[in-house]
Amino acid sequence: MRVALDNPASAPQPANSSYSQVARVELAGGGALLYLSGQVADGPDLATQSRGVFETIAALLGAHGAGLDDIINIRTYLTDIGRLGEYGAVRREFLTGTAPTSMTFEAARLFKPDALVEVEVVAAVGTRAEA
């Protein structure tokens, strides 16, 4: 098994140099798992921030030959769980295929003071069984 950490030049860069955006784990049987760091985005409201987050996730996955349909797990942190429906509506705009496994948490605050949502995902590249 081989692990490579990456900050793809074709995607938005991390907030600071203390972490990598993507951990790519090459699997012995072929394919890879992509672990993305939590993503936040600027914007005046939850919908705008959520769209920015998914656009960044799409760019990071794309840099590794994957797409949003390759997401197998998603973890969402909201500062107000009462707004889950608002976030969910945006999520459904981007994740249109079979829903991945999922967990959603309420967090009192996120690392960026004005962030309302943070999302981290795991994607499988070249390993998903065809239905």
Side-chain angles (χ1 to χ4, degrees), residues 67-80:
L68 295 172
D69 286 343
D70 295 310
I71 294 172
I72 60 172
N73 181 264
I74 185 168
R75 283 171 300 287
T76 303
Y77 304 85
L78 293 170
T79 58
D80 182 354

Side-chain angles (χ1 to χ4, degrees), residues 18-19 36 48 56 74-75 81 84 89 101 112 115 120:
S18 299
Y19 65 97
L36 271 61
T48 303
T56 298
I74 185 168
R75 283 171 300 287
I81 200 73
L84 180 61
T101 62
K112 189 173 178 184
E120 60 179 311

Side-chain angles (χ1 to χ4, degrees), residues 41-109:
D42 292 325
D45 55 43
L46 180 58
T48 303
Q49 288 186 21
S50 298
R51 282 187 186 90
V53 163
F54 282 105
E55 289 166 358
T56 298
I57 289 170
L60 290 167
L61 293 175
H64 283 269
L68 295 172
D69 286 343
D70 295 310
I71 294 172
I72 60 172
N73 181 264
I74 185 168
R75 283 171 300 287
T76 303
Y77 304 85
L78 293 170
T79 58
D80 182 354
I81 200 73
R83 298 177 72 185
L84 180 61
E86 186 179 348
Y87 161 76
V90 174
R91 176 177 152 163
R92 286 187 296 278
E93 291 175 21
F94 288 87
L95 302 182
T96 58
T98 302
T101 62
S102 178
M103 288 192 77
T104 303
F105 306 87
E106 182 175 52
R109 64 182 180 190

